Structures are given as structure tokens and as C-alpha cells.
Amino acid sequence: MSCAANALSSSVLLADYAHARAGDKGNHLNIAVFVFEPGHYDWLVAMLTPERVADHFHARRSSAVHCHALPMLGGLNIVLENVLEGGVNQSAGLDRHGKTLSYHLLGLYLPAPAATSHQQ
Amino acid sequence: MTDDHSDQTTLHIGYGAGFAGDRPQAALALARDLATRRGPRYLALELLAERTLAQCQQRRHDDETSGYALRLFDFLEPILPTCLASGIPVITNGGAAHPVAAAHRLRGWLDDQGFHNARIACVLGDDLVEQLGALPTPDWLPENVVLDEVVSCNVYIGAEQIQQALEEGADIVLCGRVADPSMAVGAIRHGLGWSAEDPELTAIALATGHLLECCTQITGGYFADPITNPVPDPAHPGCPIIELGTEGQLIVTKTASTGGMVSARTVKEQLLYEIHDPAAYLTPDGVMDVSRAQVIDHGNNRVEVRDIHGYPPPATLKGNLGLTGLWFGEAGISYAGPRALARAQLAREIVMTRAAELTPNLAPRLDIVGVCSVLGDAGGEVISQRLDTGDGVEDVRLRLGVVDRDRGAIQALLDDFESLYTNGPAGGGGIRTHLVESLRTEDFMIDRHAVSTFLAWY
């Protein structure tokens, strides 16, 4: 997984702009992520492409990533398929549900949203 | 109380547990709150995860008087006097692998307490384990399943029998593997007279159940972040209550005089919890579409959810097999002080080398937990200093995890891990090892017409 040390100085931490919750189903994970400010929704959608999310979780080798837009809720539902190394059934990891991975997503450093970049 | 729920047509439903490890004290506060409200009121207890059911079936196999959720009575006994006195039906899936055994014990307890008129209904028909031995092999059974490894086989059933039990006057409805939101759907169809043939109203009932089914996960539980999402009195989050109007107006709130919070953020997180395609969440009672849903915060822990849509139920139901055959071993050792991480890394290499020699058939993973876990003091002074100075890396823990069918090999690996005490790098301590059966589950799909559900009364 990518490391915060790679962050660019002009970038922002997603955790400062959004909140998220993870849930598991078998070997699949969903992370629902919502911006704090409605004005950042378009930025979130532009930033959280399936490619970027897959890259951020690359060590888990997800077989597919889907990003479902939720414009009325100001968020995205991200589904990472086969990312839980067996999940609660077979993973040897500490967090077999992948519950902590919501904050791994929130650990993404991203280019600042235009509307607020001058405030950073 | 506000005017929003003072009329007698609004339905009130709360969930007093969101999983088998939840807090009975919170459920009692919920029952007392519901007792102060008017109109149709229901209390549901969600106590059953997939693997919990398999574990319950194993206990039933050993003892025919068991097989229900281990802590079912820890939840039921405190709330029932209030619920029975106030006419609040209690619905739970804590019957688990053996609702009838739970009913027998509950009947005895109710009679001892003087509640001779209280009526218990068991919802049955979800347990298909006895069909597995039939010939020919049922067509819904996955081909790769080894029958000797099957400990449980249940299908997620819907709200139909719950509604029926309530129509016939049940005070307590004991279910096994019903879909989590279906407990709410059955209550709502009973309380508001909504038709099972109406997919839009069904979807609102499903949303109600889905929002409630993890209990405090919508009232500030599993939500707090001291920086971005502070939660009031997070040690005592209250159970959630949904007020549902006859036309489908849906307000999420929580038990009076409790901690936690209901906000647009907590509701949005729970609305999407464990959902994949927001436009098509499949349940036995219908398909729920939350893709256009709106969440409106009215303040004072009252949040409205609107624009839930729905479609008729799918032709197939999901089933779940609980299977034995796997074992899960874990071990850990901590290192602290100067070069702690370097010594933990050396220990990791030693364990990997020895595992390759002793148990080459296993594929253990070795993590290093990098938090202050052994250097702290009871008052928290040391950990506070280390966090302030950023000097928290001198306290790490090497952690081994392994899942395999070969229990003996896992035990041998764990035994060898313990030899790090006298054979490993300097200063290691706090070794713990444990080995448990790792029940796994596998899904299957079954034609809904192949499943018959029914009630039994006690």
C-alpha cells in the first residue's frame, strides 16, 4: 500500500475532507466515503477513480474496483472485489473483516480541491 | 417528546442489539424509551452473524437444549418485563440454530416470572441441514462442498412469518436465519398495514431495518474520530429508534438520555453499510434502491431519510453453509526500547527460517504491530509522552497468523514460536499463542419456492 511519505507538499489528506466506513461481504469490501462539504463532491468523484483506488490498495491485488456515485449524499460507494485475502473465512491477518481499511482510503493524499486550495 | 411522533399512527421501532457481542444495558434503556411512546412499537434484537450461526449449530449438535445465541437471555430477561407490560413485541434472530430450544427455556422463565399469558412464536423453516443427506443431492448445493464438513445450512428468509406471528398476537418472535432487515419489515407490515405486494413501501421498510440492524452504528458507534467526528458521551451510545409515518416518512433518532448522536453523517455511513450496488440491494422481501436517497438533518438527533425506492423481490434466496476443516493460529512477541524494530525484524527472519524447516506446508504471515503496547503505564503517562514526541516506534510486536487444514502443523509452528523466549533476539517478551477452529461459510442460491417457512407456538 502507498505511503504517506510520498505525499506532495501541494496535496491534501482525504481524511481532512471526507469520512468513510468499510463493510465486508465474503472476500469483497465496500467503503462508503462522503465529503464533509457538499462543494467538494465533484472533486471527490474526479479524484477517486477506480484506477487510483486500485493503485492505493495495490498490495491487496483487488480483482476489480467499482465506484458508485451518490450525488444526493455527497459520496461514493467503492467496492473492492477479492481484496480481503480470504476475509473472515480464511484470512490469517489481524483484521479479517478489513474494517480498518476505511482509514487506509482516507490516508490518500490528493491534489487540493480548487475551491479551497487557497486556504491550505 | 416532540409533536413529530405524538400521534398514534406513527410507528416506532428500535433495535436493541446489532450483533451477538452488543450491550444489554443499552437495550434496556431502549425498552424504557419505547414504553413512553404511543402508537405501534417494536423492539428487535439482531444477534446473528453468519459464523455465529455455524457455532450455534455446533453447540446444538453437542446439546439439544442449546443452539440459540449464547447471550440471548442476557438481552431478553432485562427488557421483557417492560416490553410485556407496555405491549411492545420483541423480535429477534437470536433463536439462531435452535429457536425451539430458546422457546422452551423462555417459556419456563416467563412462567416463573408470572407472565403466563405471554405468547412465544418461533419462525422455522430456514434450517435446511436435514435436506443435505437426501438423495438425490439438492441441486442448490455447491458442487465443491464436502458434506462431512457441513455444520450448518440455512437460507435467509424474509418477513412473512414474522408478520403472521404478530398478527396472531405473538409477544416474542424467535427467529433463526431471517435477513437482518426483515425483522423490521415484518413489524412494519403488521403495524402500518403495508402490503407485501408494494415494492416502494417494502423498500422503505427495508431501509428502516437496514439502518437499524447494526444498532449503535447509526447513533455514533463505530463513527467517532476525535478530530473530524467527535461524538458526545461515546462510552454510552444509545440504541437507535426509527419513527415511520403511514405514508413512509422516516425519521432516525435514538433512545432518550443516552450518549452518541444521530447526524446526517452517521446515517449516510450506515445507509451504505455492506451494500455493493446502491441501486440494487437484494433481500428476501424486495430489492432496495438507495441510489437517489436524501438525508436531511433536522437537528436534535433527528434525521430524515427520503427517496428510497424498491423493486419486487428476487426469485431466489441466498443460503449459507457453515463449514469446518480450517484452523487459525496466532502468536505474538513484543520488543521495546532501543532498536526494538531491528530486533523484531530479526525475530521475523528467525521465525520464517524455522517455519520453512519445520512446517514447509504452511504459509504463515508475520506482521509487526507498531504501537505502544508494553511500555505504557496504567495511568497512560508514558504513551501520552511518546505520542507527543512522536517517539512511539520503540514498542513493537511481531505477530504471526496462519490458516490451514493441518491443525498439527499449526500447533507445531506455535510451539516453536514460543521458543523465541530463550532462542530469539534480545529482550523479547509477552508471548501469547492460540489456536482455534476457523469456521468458514459459503453462499448458495435457492429457488424461493423450494423453501417453506412456518410458525410454532409456545
Side-chain angles (χ1 to χ4, degrees):
Chain A
M1 303 200 184
S2 65
C3 178
N6 296 333
L8 301 170
S9 58
S10 61
S11 63
V12 297
L13 180 66
L14 181 56
D16 292 334
Y17 289 79
H19 59 108
R21 176 172 297 179
D24 70 312
K25 262 200 180 11
N27 202 20
H28 310 309
L29 181 76
N30 87 293
I31 303 175
V33 54
F34 305 95
V35 288
F36 294 136
E37 299 296 332
H40 292 153
Y41 171 70
D42 290 338
W43 168 79
L44 185 81
V45 172
M47 289 296 112
L48 295 188
T49 60
E51 294 74 23
R52 181 175 254 135
V53 173
D55 183 59
H56 191 55
F57 285 84
H58 68 90
R60 288 297 191 93
R61 293 176 171 74
S62 184
S63 62
V65 177
H66 309 281
C67 297
H68 299 278
L70 297 159
M72 304 305 287
L73 298 178
L76 287 166
N77 190 41
I78 298 172
V79 179
L80 297 114
E81 294 186 359
N82 297 300
V83 75
L84 295 179
E85 301 180 324
V88 289
N89 284 319
Q90 305 202 28
S91 168
L94 267 174
D95 175 18
R96 305 177 103 191
H97 297 89
K99 284 176 171 286
T100 55
L101 296 178
S102 56
Y103 268 76
H104 180 60
L105 181 75
L106 294 177
L108 263 171
Y109 279 88
L110 300 165
T116 57
S117 57
H118 64 281
Q119 297 171 5
Q120 299 302 306
Chain B
M1 302 289 268
T2 70
D3 291 337
D4 299 85
H5 57 249
S6 61
D7 71 277
Q8 297 209 24
T9 59
T10 297
L11 177 146
H12 307 256
I13 178 166
Y15 271 45
F19 79 120
D22 221 323
R23 303 171 304 143
Q25 308 91 330
L28 179 58
L30 169 65
R32 288 174 174 160
D33 180 307
L34 288 172
T36 68
R37 294 167 178 252
R38 295 191 291 165
R41 297 154 302 170
Y42 303 88
L43 191 155
L45 300 168
E46 199 291 285
L47 296 169
L48 195 58
E50 290 182 349
R51 294 189 307 153
T52 315
L53 180 56
Q55 288 160 358
C56 288
Q57 192 67 262
Q58 282 186 317
R59 286 196 291 109
R60 178 180 179 176
H61 188 264
D62 295 336
D63 175 3
E64 186 58 24
T65 67
S66 71
Y68 46 85
L70 262 183
R71 298 174 68 214
L72 174 63
F73 285 82
D74 293 345
F75 283 91
L76 283 180
E77 289 180 6
I79 64 170
L80 279 177
T82 301
C83 291
L84 291 169
S86 305
I88 302 168
V90 175
I91 305 154
T92 179
N93 56 12
H98 205 356
V100 169
H104 283 301
R105 177 171 162 187
L106 183 58
R107 181 76 267 158
W109 183 84
L110 289 168
D111 289 344
D112 286 347
Q113 301 291 314
F115 297 115
H116 301 287
N117 297 325
R119 301 187 69 210
I120 308 165
C122 288
V123 174
L124 302 170
D126 63 299
D127 188 342
L128 305 181
V129 79
E130 288 180 0
Q131 296 186 21
L132 290 177
L135 289 171
T137 304
D139 59 0
W140 41 264
L141 189 69
E143 286 179 7
N144 58 336
V145 167
V146 178
L147 282 180
D148 285 348
E149 293 182 349
V150 175
V151 289
S152 66
C153 179
N154 295 74
V155 58
Y156 282 87
I157 60 175
E160 184 185 2
Q161 296 299 341
I162 295 170
Q163 179 188 0
Q164 185 66 28
L166 295 168
E167 308 281 358
E168 294 180 25
D171 296 295
I172 302 122
V173 185
L174 295 172
C175 312
R177 183 70 287 168
V178 296
D180 295 347
S182 295
M183 294 193 283
V185 175
I188 291 163
R189 285 178 178 164
H190 170 250
L192 295 178
W194 288 0
S195 166
E197 307 302 316
D198 187 326
E200 291 283 293
L201 288 176
T202 295
I204 294 169
L206 284 168
T208 302
H210 178 73
L211 290 166
L212 293 171
E213 71 182 44
C214 296
C215 198
T216 51
Q217 269 197 191
I218 196 169
T219 61
Y222 208 61
F223 177 76
D225 181 318
I227 304 301
T228 53
N229 286 322
V231 170
D233 191 9
H236 309 96
C239 293
I241 296 168
I242 283 180
E243 300 163 6
L244 201 53
T246 52
E247 305 299 314
Q249 308 95 319
L250 190 164
I251 298 282
V252 186
T253 185
K254 70 182 182 73
T255 306
S257 306
T258 58
M261 63 193 283
V262 179
S263 72
R265 291 182 187 177
T266 68
V267 172
K268 286 193 286 188
E269 285 195 8
Q270 191 57 29
L271 188 61
L272 271 298
Y273 184 65
E274 290 184 345
I275 281 184
H276 285 184
D277 181 354
Y281 185 64
L282 273 54
T283 82
D285 300 311
V287 177
M288 180 176 72
D289 174 359
V290 300
S291 64
R292 291 163 280 170
Q294 295 190 65
V295 168
I296 302 153
D297 196 332
H298 293 300
N300 293 321
N301 295 305
R302 298 179 63 79
V303 174
E304 181 181 357
V305 179
R306 2 178 7 148
D307 295 322
I308 302 289
H309 297 286
Y311 312 98
T316 52
L317 300 176
K318 189 173 94 166
N320 205 251
L321 290 153
L323 302 160
T324 59
L326 286 180
W327 299 87
F328 183 23
E330 286 186 296
I333 183 168
S334 292
Y335 295 89
R339 296 183 292 282
L341 186 55
R343 284 175 287 123
Q345 287 174 310
L346 179 58
R348 188 173 191 271
E349 288 162 18
I350 290 169
V351 172
M352 286 166 66
T353 299
R354 293 186 58 79
E357 293 165 3
L358 282 170
T359 53
N361 56 321
L362 298 183
R365 60 177 285 163
L366 287 151
D367 306 305
I368 294 176
V369 181
V371 298
C372 180
S373 59
V374 294
L375 280 185
D377 59 299
E381 185 180 332
V382 175
I383 192 170
S384 298
Q385 290 169 351
R386 287 184 173 266
L387 289 173
D388 286 343
T389 61
D391 188 20
V393 296
E394 290 189 355
D395 185 331
V396 295
R397 185 165 178 85
L398 177 68
R399 182 253 172 199
L400 176 149
V402 61
V403 173
D404 201 89
R405 289 179 171 274
D406 189 342
R407 181 185 187 176
I410 294 176
Q411 188 62 58
L413 182 60
L414 298 184
D415 290 346
D416 194 68
F417 189 97
E418 194 147 0
S419 74
L420 287 172
Y421 264 139
T422 54
N423 297 268
I431 294 179
R432 304 279 189 282
T433 67
H434 73 111
L435 172 55
V436 293
E437 184 165 30
S438 186
L439 289 169
R440 65 206 155 92
T441 61
E442 184 155 337
D443 293 344
F444 61 91
M445 301 303 291
I446 183 170
D447 187 318
R448 64 189 306 132
H449 299 298
V451 177
S452 10
T453 57
F454 56 99
L455 293 175
W457 292 87
Y458 296 90

